[in-house]
Amino acid sequence: MAELETDTTAATAVVDAEPVDRRGADGVLARVRAGTGELTGALRRVAEQVLSDPEAAARATIVELAERSGTSPATITRFCRAMGFDGYADLRLGIASETGRARSAGWTVDIGREIQPGDPLERVLDQIMAADTRAMHDTATLLDLAEVERAAVAIAGAARVNIFGASGSALVGEEMQFSLHRIGVAAWAWSDVHEGLASAALLGPGDVALGISHTGQTRETIEMLAEAGSRGATTVALTGFPRSPLAELADTVLLTASQATTFRPDALSARHPQLVVLDLLYIAVAQRTHDRAHAAFRRTAQAVQGHKAAKGTTS
């Protein structure tokens, strides 16, 4: 039997964090994934144990989970409270309910299994589909639609929208910029920190700045969003970590989840959920600027119509 830890401050080495809001039993594992990066020591080990085998965690007693994670029952209790649950029984029920739905929907196929070089593409496809489906479901659970509403209202009334992101997040930002531009929203996407800071310095009240970073720790994106906020612009963060530096400086936070697979770590597996959230935000903006958006979309479509191949022709 594993030796249980002594519950001292030095031994547990946890990060003090306010309990997360719990919206029913749904999305337990998504909140654990999102919160793991903010935990250290004993609490982090509990989170990692739960995520490594949720079904086993749902069946385990509090003592068994403590043994498997190398912690103590008291630490498990603190972990439950950090996740927004009243106690261990409440946490177990939430995990069991979620894993049961996932299993019946086929979301658990190959999730957590390493993709091997010799795996057939059919198995690889099944794993990718299962992981992405789970990430989408978790994102829908985590996402606060009131925050999406606030961001949409701000963008719909903005004179200028700046979108900041680096590396892969820059690609997601460019997609959002393109969508907004097609419906007449003055939007720019910046990935170069010098150009982004210069543009952010020209923003002011009535403008909006959107920073995209899965970890919420990308220094360039944080700097650009902070500069925009210091000039009075409304700031929005799209991230997977609600207590990250990017999230903490933003007026509005849009959360996404991810489900890593082999060759697709969290930063890459977050792309599809990010695009879904931004698509929702884009449509919400279009709804609130319907007449302007409809007219702009019609004009932009007509402008490029002449560059489409006529029906029946081949290239």
Side-chain angles (χ1 to χ4, degrees), residues 131-245:
D132 281 356
T133 300
R134 184 58 177 269
M136 298 293 188
H137 174 81
D138 288 349
T139 294
T141 299
L142 288 172
L143 189 62
D144 187 340
L145 295 181
E147 293 283 275
V148 177
E149 173 79 23
R150 282 190 285 273
V153 170
I155 292 174
R160 179 185 178 101
V161 177
N162 270 9
I163 304 170
F164 306 120
S167 188
S169 294
L171 300 178
V172 176
E174 289 173 2
E175 179 73 17
M176 183 60 170
Q177 185 272 336
F178 173 77
S179 297
L180 291 175
H181 191 70
R182 287 294 300 270
I183 59 172
V185 176
W188 288 262
W190 305 99
S191 58
D192 180 88
V193 66
H194 294 274
E195 294 177 352
L197 285 172
S199 182
L202 298 177
L203 298 180
D207 297 323
V208 174
L210 167 63
I212 304 172
S213 170
H214 172 64
T215 63
Q217 296 179 355
T218 304
R219 181 176 300 175
E220 293 85 351
T221 304
I222 294 170
E223 290 178 356
M224 291 185 284
L225 196 68
E227 176 66 26
S230 72
R231 303 294 176 173
T234 298
T235 54
V236 180
L238 178 66
T239 181
F241 296 88
R243 296 189 181 92
S244 63

Side-chain angles (χ1 to χ4, degrees), residues 6-241:
T6 301
D7 283 321
T8 65
T9 303
T12 55
V14 299
V15 172
D16 290 333
E18 295 180 1
V20 297
D21 292 333
R22 186 163 67 89
R23 291 151 57 183
D26 222 11
V28 176
L29 299 178
R31 290 196 300 277
V32 173
R33 290 189 195 96
T36 298
E38 301 163 7
L39 304 175
T40 62
L43 290 188
R44 187 182 183 94
R45 293 201 299 276
V46 175
E48 291 172 345
Q49 180 62 40
V50 169
L51 293 176
S52 69
D53 195 345
E55 292 188 1
R59 296 191 301 268
T61 66
I62 190 170
V63 173
E64 289 170 340
L65 184 58
E67 291 176 348
R68 293 170 186 173
S69 59
T71 62
S72 70
T75 298
I76 304 299
T77 299
R78 288 200 303 277
F79 173 79
C80 294
R81 291 172 181 167
M83 292 297 107
F85 289 90
D86 294 332
Y88 184 58
D90 203 14
L91 174 67
R92 285 182 62 188
L93 180 61
I95 296 175
S97 177
E98 186 171 343
T99 55
R101 285 193 303 273
R103 184 169 54 253
S104 64
W107 297 338
T108 59
V109 176
D110 283 334
I111 289 182
R113 176 189 178 277
E114 289 292 317
I115 297 176
Q116 303 300 323
D119 283 349
L121 288 181
E122 181 180 5
R123 175 173 289 178
V124 175
L125 176 61
D126 285 344
Q127 183 177 14
I128 291 173
M129 291 297 294
D132 281 356
T133 300
R134 184 58 177 269
M136 298 293 188
H137 174 81
D138 288 349
T139 294
T141 299
L142 288 172
L143 189 62
D144 187 340
L145 295 181
E147 293 283 275
V148 177
E149 173 79 23
R150 282 190 285 273
V153 170
I155 292 174
R160 179 185 178 101
V161 177
N162 270 9
I163 304 170
F164 306 120
S167 188
S169 294
L171 300 178
V172 176
E174 289 173 2
E175 179 73 17
M176 183 60 170
Q177 185 272 336
F178 173 77
S179 297
L180 291 175
H181 191 70
R182 287 294 300 270
I183 59 172
V185 176
W188 288 262
W190 305 99
S191 58
D192 180 88
V193 66
H194 294 274
E195 294 177 352
L197 285 172
S199 182
L202 298 177
L203 298 180
D207 297 323
V208 174
L210 167 63
I212 304 172
S213 170
H214 172 64
T215 63
Q217 296 179 355
T218 304
R219 181 176 300 175
E220 293 85 351
T221 304
I222 294 170
E223 290 178 356
M224 291 185 284
L225 196 68
E227 176 66 26
S230 72
R231 303 294 176 173
T234 298
T235 54
V236 180
L238 178 66
T239 181
F241 296 88

